[in-house]
Amino acid sequence: MDAIRSKLQEIQEQYNGITAKLMDEEILRNPAEVARLSKEQARLEQSVDAWRKLQALDERIEEAESLVNESDPELKEMAQAELEECLPERENLLVHIQHLLIPRDPDDDHDVIMEIRGGAGGDEGNIFAGDLYRMYTKYAESMNWRVSVLEANPSEAGGFSQIIFSVKGNDVYRHLKFESGAHRVQRVPKTEAQGRIHTSTATVLCQPEAQETDIEIDPKDLTIETHRASGAGGQHINKTDSAVRIVHIPTGITVNCQEGRSQIENRETAMRLIRARVYEEMKRRQEEEEGKIRRAKLGTGDRSEKIRTYNYPQNRVTDHRIGLTITQLDRIVEGKLDDVINGLIEADEAEKLANMEL
């Protein structure tokens, strides 16, 4: 408990320091810095409020404990009643504070760029990729988030061999970051004449959308080429060099964008993708240097690398990482993902809490 109080005192000092900075005239002339400090202050506010409540409870308990041994029966009874109220309240508050002190992923409030690819199973894998895209758009709609398609390669049989889209809103990465991996589907494909159940996969990659303030990319580290787009998309697509390919030389990361109607549009999309992927790669390297174990993000699409199974005949969804099974697949595919997403967030917080040093 002393460690918790010490940590809360430290947070209180940080909060007061930010308050002082926000009154500095020089800082007030810098809107970007004001926004950054305000955001940081808002993040600390709950912990500061909890610290004030804990201090007030400590004072009440200390006072009651000093009176509980008094000879006056009425005074003693009042003190005992105060302790019976305050002690459980303090225990509950300490549990709440422990959760507040769980280290927050600095990317949790970022928007995301998601990529879904059809994996094992051919046409059925692509159709399933389309089903997952629809599921995420429905979930985003329920969360009042905005979805924009950046690149899409539709499959002739339906769905997508690949689709890349952005999701913007509040705490998007916090809710979607555990979706990365291979998703497996078990069902009778529309193309199956004999009614046999097939197993197919699609892979999902969810990355925080990095802003220019998150990572600085030297233009000298980029190779930018334009070329004529290929594939479906209308007659205009082969007449101009509207497609853009960008290579980040230090990491070898390459993106190619051709869905936009102009070179400018494709260049902007390609830069967003490069920034997100380079940011993710830099984080991975930093975590490796620090000896941290990083969750695998994107599998090869092989059905053995599964994080979740969608079993249509049994109307069942199973997330294999936390052993969660829900027999409401029909609701899940309609974007009602709260039980799954919240289960993953809670499991992650429990793990962090168990490993937290206070």
Side-chain angles (χ1 to χ4, degrees):
M1 292 215 320
D2 287 344
I4 288 177
R5 286 174 171 79
S6 176
K7 183 66 178 175
L8 288 170
Q9 180 65 47
E10 186 183 312
I11 290 171
Q12 172 82 66
E13 289 168 6
Q14 279 181 261
Y15 184 88
N16 292 342
I18 292 171
T19 301
K21 286 181 180 177
L22 286 170
M23 296 172 70
D24 187 301
E25 289 186 9
E26 189 173 333
I27 287 174
L28 289 172
R29 285 194 289 268
N30 184 342
E33 183 65 4
V34 169
R36 188 190 71 79
L37 288 169
S38 298
K39 190 174 180 180
E40 178 67 10
Q41 188 179 53
R43 188 181 66 81
L44 299 174
E45 203 153 1
Q46 272 191 296
S47 297
V48 170
D49 185 49
W51 173 227
R52 289 169 182 157
K53 287 179 181 175
L54 182 60
Q55 286 177 302
L57 277 171
D58 283 343
E59 287 178 12
R60 287 173 63 187
I61 289 168
E62 187 179 348
E63 185 178 348
E65 285 176 338
S66 70
L67 296 174
V68 80
N69 294 319
E70 288 286 329
S71 55
D72 185 331
E74 189 176 340
L75 199 59
K76 186 174 180 177
E77 187 180 342
M78 286 175 59
Q80 190 60 47
E82 180 80 343
L83 287 174
E84 286 174 5
E85 179 186 337
C86 292
L87 287 173
E89 191 177 337
R90 184 169 68 179
E91 286 305 308
N92 291 334
L93 181 59
L94 286 169
V95 170
H96 174 62
I97 287 169
Q98 280 187 306
H99 283 276
L100 289 177
L101 295 181
I102 292 172
R104 181 176 168 85
D105 185 335
D107 294 331
D108 273 356
D109 60 356
H110 280 48
D111 299 327
V112 306
I113 291 177
M114 295 189 79
E115 177 181 348
I116 305 176
R117 292 175 179 264
D123 286 343
E124 174 63 6
N126 293 339
I127 291 169
F128 181 47
D131 293 339
L132 289 177
Y133 168 67
R134 180 178 177 274
M135 178 183 76
Y136 289 126
T137 56
K138 289 276 190 181
Y139 178 63
E141 186 180 323
S142 74
M143 298 291 286
N144 294 317
W145 296 339
R146 300 180 304 283
V147 175
S148 302
V149 174
L150 304 178
E151 285 284 302
N153 296 317
S155 167
E156 287 185 12
F160 303 92
S161 59
Q162 178 192 40
I163 183 164
I164 303 173
F165 56 99
S166 70
V167 187
K168 293 182 176 292
N170 294 326
D171 281 353
V172 180
Y173 187 68
R174 177 173 183 262
H175 289 83
L176 294 179
K177 62 184 172 184
F178 302 114
E179 295 305 294
S180 294
H183 295 238
R184 182 174 72 166
V185 63
Q186 295 171 326
R187 65 185 176 189
V188 178
K190 294 174 184 176
T191 53
E192 170 58 52
Q194 298 182 28
R196 290 175 298 187
I197 295 172
H198 287 228
T199 299
S200 307
T201 64
T203 54
V204 176
L205 176 63
C206 177
Q207 295 177 312
E209 181 162 7
Q211 304 302 316
E212 291 182 20
T213 52
D214 294 321
I215 183 169
E216 187 175 341
I217 297 179
D218 190 334
K220 294 176 185 175
D221 289 338
L222 299 177
T223 298
I224 302 175
E225 301 171 348
T226 58
H227 60 95
R228 291 191 180 182
S230 59
Q235 292 184 351
H236 76 281
I237 205 162
N238 293 313
K239 292 185 178 179
T240 60
D241 289 344
S242 61
V244 175
R245 180 184 295 110
I246 300 180
V247 180
H248 183 251
I249 299 165
T251 60
I253 292 171
T254 302
V255 300
N256 186 71
C257 293
Q258 64 176 39
E259 290 298 304
R261 288 188 167 268
S262 70
Q263 189 184 114
I264 292 172
E265 191 177 331
N266 284 325
R267 185 184 176 110
E268 287 175 355
T269 300
M271 279 304 301
R272 286 174 69 184
L273 294 176
I274 276 286
R275 194 177 291 116
R277 292 177 185 177
V278 171
Y279 178 61
E280 182 78 356
E281 176 62 16
M282 293 299 103
K283 280 203 308 173
R284 185 191 67 79
R285 292 183 182 185
Q286 182 182 345
E287 287 170 0
E288 273 188 1
E289 286 174 10
E290 294 172 356
K292 293 180 180 175
I293 299 171
R294 181 178 181 272
R295 279 189 176 85
K297 285 286 185 182
L298 181 63
T300 60
D302 185 89
R303 63 194 71 182
S304 66
E305 299 179 44
K306 62 186 183 294
I307 63 165
R308 191 176 299 149
T309 296
Y310 304 72
N311 185 300
Y312 276 73
Q314 297 179 19
N315 196 34
R316 185 183 70 220
V317 174
T318 300
D319 194 286
H320 304 285
R321 294 161 296 178
I322 58 174
L324 175 68
T325 295
I326 299 173
T327 52
Q328 293 180 323
L329 171 60
D330 51 341
R331 293 180 69 254
I332 299 293
V333 295
E334 288 299 319
K336 294 177 173 61
L337 282 165
D338 290 331
D339 289 343
V340 179
I341 300 289
N342 293 338
L344 288 161
I345 291 173
E346 287 168 11
D348 181 61
E349 287 185 349
E351 185 180 331
K352 286 178 178 175
L353 195 57
N355 296 325
M356 194 164 64
E357 294 180 6
L358 285 172

